[in-house]
Amino acid sequence: MNLILLSLLLLPACIAARSSPEKAGSSFSIAVVGPFSLFPNVTLNGSLVTGGMDSGRLIADYANENYDNDSSNLKSFFWEQLMVSFAIEDVNNDATVFPNTTIHVKRFNSFDLKNRGASGYAAQVAREIFEDHKDVIATVGAISPLFQELQSYNNIPTCGVGKSNPEFLNKQNYPYYFSTQSFSGSTRAVASLLSYWNITRIALITDTGSQELINVLQRRGIQIVYKYNAKKVSADGIEDMGNFIQYYDARYIVLDTRSDVGGLIYFTLSALKLAVGPKFVWLALKPPLPMPQGEQIFGVESSKSLKGLILLAAANEPSPYIGEMYKGLENQLNRIVSSFGVTFNETHRFYPRNGPAAYDCAQLLTRGIYKTMLRNKMSVRMLASGGAGSLFNFTAFVNTGYNGFTGNPVRLNRQTGELSATPLVFYADDNYQYKLFGVFTQPNATSVNNRSNTSTQWTSENQTNGNWSRSAMIFESVAGVKPVFFDGTTNMPDDGREVPTVFTDSIIPPYSEIGIKLQVFEGLGFALCALYLAVLIKFRTLKAVKAGSVKFTFITILGALLEYSTNELHLNYPSSTKCYLSVWFKLMGFIFIFASAIVKNRRIYLIYSGFKLTKKKASDWYNLLLLCFPVGLEIILLTGWTVFSNITIQKSERPDALVREFTCTYGYPYSQIGLIFENILTCYNALIFLATLVVTVKLQNVSGIHSEFSYLVIVTSSCIVGYILDHLLKHKTKLEIDYQFLQATIIWVLTTQAVLMQFATKATAVSYEIADQLQKRISGLQNSGIKKSKKSLIPDSPQAKHLPSLPQTSPPIETEGVSMKGKSKSLSSLNRAGKVASVSTLNGVKVPVKSGQVVLATNLHHANSMPRLFSNHLRTTEFGFDNKFHAVYKFESMFAKWNHVWVSVGKVRGTIVILLLPAEDDTDSPSRVFSEVGGKHTRTVQTIVAGSIQQYRVKLTSGNQTLVLDFIDLTQFKLFDECVDKYTK
């Protein structure tokens, strides 16, 4: 009897004769879906497997004796798909099922190697099956909830094995799913086994909440000292779980998760040497499955860590013919693999694990579809064309009368669609094989050790709708069999000890070290913003302030104040309000800073690229109105997210640090609308940042005093670095408050950098402008003194010959004598004084003017150094300027800025001199001069493309002076270049 019970889960079934020809007539296909791309030498056409799986060498490799000690999930799937093929061959050989019809097997790959099994690939596979393979009427292998949802939507029945998922039992969402394995109904069995062992303290790991199990355990007086929600699993979360289990000294751990999740948790903890070992007993409601390529991750010895794991599963009494069926499978395999030196016999057995369930899946699908087709008088052609509609939901397969490996007959639960079976208890041995050691019975049932092989008391006839009744379950050991635990003995570990709660709340008090730092950062940020505002208001009439779009600067400062204010929200205990405000302040601060930069620099780009903007569209108020759109949309999205999201404060205990942490998290149930708003909000802010990058790129060839290209490059680059640092260091911090401080520091640095760069530039420009104004006053006083002097200098006078040269730091001087031939009307408008005279002076030296020359009164400031020749006597023939060109210039230095000017080229005593004269509407900027040093200069010319506009850049270098001129008009550029060439010669 014990041998039969053991073979219940381990022995496959197969009829030996498989070589009869296909049936003539119509045909259709059954699909097998799984990770075929992981097998060697497999060829694919899309997701369809076109070759490589029928190789005898492959079968021999996966059926050799090494499989006995191998825990690979891939090898388990290999047997599943092979057993489906054997089952379909048997159906094709059976004249009572689908006569005159041939059934084919199509294999579809479900594992995307490129994206490591990305979930979106499941939708692609389901679409390909439905649209491109109309002959497929059913599938074996539900790979994911998304795949199965689409299969149900397309009315394609699916039988799942191996990878259990409790979600599939919800028939409202998955009406076309069923399974020949049982994954539920074991909750009371767990409680009964723990009571039988006198266990009173456990840890629970669940991905569904396991509310029914919790209720049963509480009624039995079993305490759950630690519970872990495995709905979202991470490496750090698994490590924390192991630390908690050991801290609470929970020796018995109940694992109620999907098979793949359970395998990930169990094998990871085993590799970390946490909560797996001689002191611990794991009780799993579904068998933990290793990940694909798990041996490379956890090591080849990882399967042995399952030793002693207790599995509570459900199965039925096997068919009395199972021995003959196993022998038939053995003969069939030997026929395929004997030529490769592999032979199966009584000593060298194979263990297909889920193979019997997969075989029954294929048989149940074909027989259930055939019976439904006959009952509704359908043809095979209608079947293959998808005309069956909703006829093939899981109810069509509940009781087909088929006698197989998982039941005699195989029957399904009418509520969940899973196999209706009896709860059994197994333990895992050294070879990752589960051995039966106990059965659960109901009161007054015949003892398991007194039953005959043909007893009907194990079938679902004694169950209520395929479920065990709510009466107490009785655990009964199989005679002569005891579980062997991790240490290799049958001795059960102790129940563990009570651990007092000694956790300290992990918060940031205002007077703690971190709290003081956060407040200092906040205060410094507020002080910087206040100083910036004071400068803007105090010097609001200066050109340096007015040229910087003050209204947009105020918005940037408002955004910075919001970012700084988030530091206050980290102090003391968190609350839902603080969580919401933190998100609002961060995102609104972000949108104020970046959206204002986009709108302001958009205007600059359009102006400098030659677009004709009306006065209205170029105004600050018009552009502020444009700014309202991105800011308004941000407010709408934030409002929707706030209304529909459900932020709560989650308390979590850290046994490694003996602290209780508080984090903002979403409660359950999570609002689907809130999730949609969150995703839209994330994408929208990402687009704002990308738009800033686009504007930055556009500005790279725009010259002028208003350009913020360098500022935007540094700010956007810093944000990218800060984002990367935040994600890299998030899991490096030990406590949540450490991460909060790290995040607050990154935000403070990025915000301060943005404000400080603008403030430093503005303050420097203001200081220069104030200095220029002071210099003008001094120069005015000096010139007035010269005019009052009764004694004038003449060109050949001794006083003129001994005038001192101007030092590099000399103040600006009033100069007359810039003459231009034949340009009296236009040139006079360039000078705010507009004076015309017949005599001019340079550094106080009177210079007679040639006939026909126009003399302009202008201010000539030195740049870096003033050439010595200006202090010497100048003859009339040595001084003359007869041209003008419009350009944009700057001297290359640390604080250089671009200025719009008129440029005039002339020659003084054999040295080229370039005068830079302010535009007619510029009443503040001084004139400047550039000249050769030692009669030498170098000149380079460059063409710059800014959008659809070409600019022509000339760079003149002489000594330690470098002058950069940009011309938009090609004609002006050529004339200037010709003038320089003329005077050079």
Side-chain angles (χ1 to χ4, degrees):
M1 181 61 187
N2 293 338
L3 181 60
I4 295 176
L5 290 175
L6 177 62
S7 62
L8 196 62
L9 291 185
L10 303 180
L11 300 182
C14 182
I15 305 299
R18 304 183 187 279
S19 57
S20 62
E22 293 183 343
K23 304 170 186 175
S26 56
S27 66
F28 63 85
S29 299
I30 300 290
V32 182
V33 184
F36 287 100
S37 60
L38 296 176
F39 291 103
N41 303 319
V42 165
T43 57
L44 300 173
N45 181 12
S47 61
L48 178 66
V49 177
T50 56
M53 290 305 300
D54 297 322
S55 165
R57 176 74 267 172
L58 183 67
I59 297 175
D61 289 342
Y62 278 84
N64 61 33
E65 65 267 16
N66 291 334
Y67 175 74
D68 296 351
N69 296 320
D70 197 299
S71 61
S72 171
N73 191 27
L74 188 62
K75 289 190 175 181
S76 178
F77 172 72
F78 174 82
W79 285 107
E80 293 168 17
Q81 62 87 30
L82 186 63
M83 294 293 280
V84 170
S85 299
F86 287 162
I88 296 303
E89 289 182 27
D90 287 346
V91 172
N92 285 332
N93 291 329
D94 190 344
T96 65
V97 182
F98 284 109
N100 302 319
T101 299
T102 300
I103 305 175
H104 302 289
V105 176
K106 285 188 173 182
R107 299 177 176 92
F108 291 88
N109 174 51
S110 65
F111 192 86
D112 184 9
L113 281 174
K114 183 177 180 181
N115 297 309
R116 305 304 298 166
S119 59
Y121 191 68
Q124 179 181 332
V125 175
R127 180 202 59 77
E128 188 173 335
I129 291 175
F130 180 71
E131 295 181 0
D132 302 335
H133 300 274
K134 297 293 185 182
D135 58 318
V136 174
I137 65 170
T139 57
V140 177
I143 59 177
S144 72
L146 177 59
F147 174 84
Q148 190 48 49
E149 259 185 67
L150 293 172
Q151 291 295 87
S152 293
Y153 179 81
N154 295 329
N155 298 332
I156 299 177
T158 300
C159 181
V161 292
K163 192 174 182 179
S164 62
N165 193 323
E167 294 182 39
F168 295 158
L169 303 182
N170 183 343
K171 295 298 109 179
Q172 295 294 324
N173 298 333
Y174 307 99
Y176 285 78
Y177 172 85
F178 68 91
S179 177
T180 52
Q181 293 174 308
S182 179
F183 302 117
S184 67
S186 301
T187 55
R188 288 181 303 111
V190 172
S192 297
L193 179 61
L194 292 172
S195 297
Y196 177 80
W197 283 345
N198 294 321
I199 303 302
T200 59
R201 302 173 71 256
I202 68 158
L204 173 62
I205 302 171
T206 173
D207 58 1
T208 60
S210 305
Q211 193 57 50
E212 181 184 355
L213 174 59
I214 293 173
N215 294 338
V216 174
L217 292 172
Q218 289 176 344
R219 287 198 297 268
R220 293 292 186 100
I222 299 173
Q223 179 187 7
I224 302 175
V225 297
Y226 172 67
K227 177 185 173 184
Y228 181 82
N229 191 329
K231 194 171 184 67
K232 291 184 178 180
V233 180
S234 66
D236 288 341
I238 295 176
E239 184 175 2
D240 288 343
M241 176 201 313
N243 287 325
F244 268 111
I245 292 173
Q246 294 190 166
Y247 173 80
Y248 285 111
D249 199 23
R251 306 292 182 85
Y252 291 81
I253 303 105
V254 177
L255 185 63
D256 185 14
T257 63
R258 301 197 319 258
S259 296
D260 54 337
V261 174
L264 174 62
I265 291 173
Y266 187 88
F267 288 108
T268 301
L269 288 176
S270 175
L272 294 173
K273 301 187 184 305
L274 291 173
V276 175
K279 292 183 178 180
F280 303 95
V281 175
W282 285 69
L283 297 90
L285 276 69
K286 292 121 187 148
L289 292 179
M291 296 183 300
Q293 302 174 346
E295 291 181 354
Q296 288 82 351
I297 299 173
F298 300 113
V300 294
E301 299 294 320
S302 59
S303 62
K304 294 186 177 181
S305 66
L306 278 169
K307 183 178 180 180
L309 182 138
I310 306 299
L311 174 65
L312 292 98
N316 292 309
E317 190 172 13
S319 165
Y321 305 106
I322 195 169
E324 298 177 19
M325 298 161 71
Y326 176 78
K327 190 63 177 176
L329 174 63
E330 184 179 285
N331 293 336
Q332 176 65 7
L333 284 174
N334 284 335
R335 183 180 62 83
I336 297 174
V337 302
S338 58
S339 60
F340 297 95
V342 178
T343 303
F344 293 105
N345 49 46
E346 292 184 359
T347 58
H348 178 205
R349 298 183 179 276
F350 57 93
Y351 300 95
R353 293 167 63 180
N354 295 318
Y359 182 95
D360 283 354
C361 263
Q363 286 278 2
L364 217 59
L365 278 169
T366 54
R367 294 175 186 275
I369 291 172
Y370 183 65
K371 288 182 64 175
T372 303
M373 190 183 73
L374 293 179
R375 189 164 53 248
N376 293 275
K377 299 180 180 179
M378 296 173 58
S379 66
V380 175
R381 180 171 297 178
M382 288 180 61
L383 193 66
S385 65
S390 61
L391 295 177
F392 297 132
N393 60 48
F394 83 100
T395 59
F397 310 97
V398 168
N399 189 4
T400 63
Y402 162 68
N403 295 321
F405 309 105
T406 57
N408 188 27
V410 178
R411 296 186 180 181
L412 305 180
N413 185 302
R414 294 184 180 275
Q415 277 73 46
T416 62
E418 63 180 341
L419 180 69
S420 178
T422 301
L424 305 174
V425 190
F426 302 83
Y427 73 91
D429 63 11
D430 290 339
N431 297 323
Y432 189 33
Q433 305 304 319
Y434 292 106
K435 295 186 176 180
L436 181 71
F437 73 91
V439 178
F440 289 94
T441 63
Q442 296 191 36
N444 303 320
T446 306
S447 170
V448 64
N449 295 307
N450 295 327
R451 294 176 183 169
S452 65
N453 290 354
T454 58
S455 171
T456 60
Q457 297 190 42
W458 273 24
T459 66
S460 58
E461 298 296 334
N462 291 337
Q463 302 176 29
T464 304
N465 292 326
N467 290 322
W468 284 82
S469 66
R470 291 191 174 273
S471 58
M473 301 177 68
I474 300 174
F475 173 76
E476 186 175 350
S477 297
V478 175
V481 181
K482 290 185 178 182
V484 178
F485 298 102
F486 192 93
D487 60 358
T489 70
T490 58
N491 301 323
M492 295 178 57
D494 296 336
D495 198 5
R497 57 181 176 81
E498 289 289 339
V499 178
T501 303
V502 290
F503 294 102
T504 304
D505 290 346
S506 178
I507 60 172
I508 305 177
Y511 300 106
S512 65
E513 182 180 356
I514 294 180
I516 292 174
K517 289 180 181 178
L518 289 176
Q519 293 174 89
V520 169
F521 286 165
E522 183 180 10
L524 290 174
F526 284 171
L528 176 61
C529 291
L531 181 60
Y532 196 2
L533 286 171
V535 170
L536 294 176
I537 295 172
K538 174 67 176 177
F539 303 104
R540 59 186 179 276
T541 59
L542 296 183
K543 181 183 178 182
V545 174
K546 292 188 293 184
S549 302
V550 180
K551 299 180 182 66
F552 287 96
T553 306
F554 286 154
I555 293 173
T556 299
I557 293 175
L558 175 59
L561 290 173
L562 289 174
E563 296 290 351
Y564 290 137
S565 299
T566 58
N567 283 13
E568 193 71 26
L569 301 175
H570 292 296
L571 303 178
N572 293 318
Y573 284 91
S575 65
S576 298
T577 302
K578 285 185 177 181
C579 294
Y580 283 117
L581 287 178
S582 178
V583 175
W584 271 84
F585 284 5
K586 289 175 183 177
L587 292 185
M588 290 306 300
F590 171 84
I591 204 73
F592 279 143
I593 294 174
F594 281 84
S596 62
I598 292 172
V599 174
K600 179 172 67 171
N601 287 280
R602 165 194 166 274
R603 176 176 62 177
I604 295 172
Y605 171 73
L606 292 178
I607 292 173
Y608 279 78
S609 297
F611 291 90
K612 294 183 178 179
L613 295 180
T614 63
K615 186 175 181 180
K616 175 184 176 182
K617 291 186 177 180
S619 66
D620 281 350
W621 291 111
Y622 179 84
N623 285 275
L624 285 174
L625 182 62
L626 292 180
L627 179 61
C628 291
F629 288 99
V631 173
L633 182 55
E634 182 85 6
I635 293 174
I636 291 172
L637 293 175
L638 275 171
T639 302
W641 170 79
T642 303
V643 171
F644 293 104
S645 63
N646 184 21
I647 286 186
T648 57
I649 303 301
Q650 179 180 355
K651 299 178 183 179
S652 58
E653 295 173 345
R654 293 283 302 273
D656 54 338
L658 296 179
V659 295
R660 184 182 295 106
E661 294 187 324
F662 303 86
T663 54
C664 301
T665 186
Y666 291 97
Y668 294 99
Y670 186 86
S671 169
Q672 191 66 26
I673 300 178
L675 180 60
I676 293 173
F677 270 104
E678 179 185 341
N679 292 332
I680 295 175
L681 194 59
T682 302
C683 294
Y684 175 68
N685 284 278
L687 287 175
I688 291 293
F689 185 77
L690 290 176
T692 309
L693 294 177
V694 172
V695 170
T696 304
V697 173
K698 292 289 186 181
L699 286 175
Q700 63 180 324
N701 292 324
V702 174
S703 57
I705 59 175
H706 303 94
S707 177
E708 293 189 345
F709 171 70
S710 299
Y711 164 76
L712 291 178
V713 167
I714 295 175
V715 169
T716 52
S717 301
S718 300
C719 286
I720 294 173
V721 173
Y723 179 82
I724 295 173
L725 281 176
D726 178 79
H727 280 68
L728 288 178
L729 300 177
K730 181 176 183 179
H731 301 295
K732 301 294 184 181
T733 52
K734 184 177 182 181
L735 298 176
E736 177 67 20
I737 60 173
D738 294 332
Y739 172 65
Q740 291 179 13
F741 176 70
L742 172 67
Q743 188 182 62
T745 302
I746 292 175
I747 292 174
W748 184 85
V749 170
L750 295 177
T751 306
T752 302
Q753 180 191 55
V755 177
L756 193 58
M757 285 186 65
Q758 286 195 0
F759 174 69
T761 304
K762 194 73 66 179
T764 302
V766 167
S767 64
Y768 278 158
E769 188 168 346
I770 293 174
D772 287 343
Q773 291 178 353
L774 291 174
Q775 289 173 346
K776 288 178 184 178
R777 288 185 186 178
I778 297 172
S779 299
L781 293 174
Q782 291 175 345
N783 287 338
S784 63
I786 292 173
K787 290 178 180 179
K788 291 179 181 179
S789 175
K790 296 179 180 180
K791 191 175 182 180
S792 60
L793 296 172
I794 60 175
D796 296 324
S797 66
Q799 293 93 331
K801 293 181 179 180
H802 295 89
L803 284 174
S805 61
L806 291 174
Q808 293 188 5
T809 58
S810 61
I813 57 175
E814 291 292 336
T815 303
E816 297 178 357
V818 181
S819 62
M820 306 210 180
K821 299 177 181 179
K823 306 289 184 179
S824 61
K825 183 177 181 181
S826 60
L827 291 179
S828 62
S829 65
L830 297 178
N831 184 263
R832 55 181 176 275
K835 297 179 181 178
V836 179
S838 60
V839 179
S840 64
T841 60
L842 183 63
N843 284 6
V845 180
K846 290 185 178 180
V847 181
V849 181
K850 288 183 178 180
S851 175
Q853 289 182 325
V854 179
V855 181
L856 301 177
T858 182
N859 295 319
L860 295 180
H861 289 202
H862 64 65
N864 290 332
S865 65
M866 183 66 72
R868 181 181 295 273
L869 62 93
F870 282 118
S871 64
N872 295 336
H873 168 69
L874 298 177
R875 292 188 172 85
T876 304
T877 57
E878 295 176 327
F879 184 69
F881 296 85
D882 59 357
N883 50 70
K884 72 178 182 69
F885 315 98
H886 182 262
V888 182
Y889 89 95
K890 75 172 181 178
F891 284 99
E892 286 198 345
S893 64
M894 181 176 179
F895 299 106
K897 62 179 183 178
W898 290 94
N899 292 274
H900 289 272
V901 292
W902 290 98
V903 181
S904 183
V905 183
K907 201 166 187 180
V908 177
R909 296 187 62 183
T911 300
I912 294 177
V913 175
I914 298 175
L915 299 181
L916 308 170
L917 310 177
E920 57 183 297
D921 60 344
D922 188 348
T923 60
D924 297 320
S925 297
S927 300
R928 294 184 182 272
V929 63
F930 171 89
S931 67
E932 294 179 324
V933 175
K936 296 180 180 179
H937 79 275
T938 58
R939 173 167 36 123
T940 58
V941 179
Q942 179 184 6
T943 302
I944 300 173
V945 178
S948 60
I949 306 299
Q950 280 192 338
Q951 294 180 183
Y952 307 93
R953 175 165 292 177
V954 180
K955 183 179 289 188
L956 297 159
T957 302
S958 181
N960 61 348
Q961 301 180 91
T962 299
L963 174 66
V964 182
L965 295 170
D966 276 8
F967 295 86
I968 296 178
D969 186 83
L970 177 61
T971 303
Q972 293 272 304
F973 162 72
K974 287 183 177 179
L975 289 173
F976 170 82
D977 210 36
E978 289 174 0
C979 281
V980 175
D981 285 339
K982 179 183 73 172
Y983 284 113
T984 301
K985 294 175 181 178

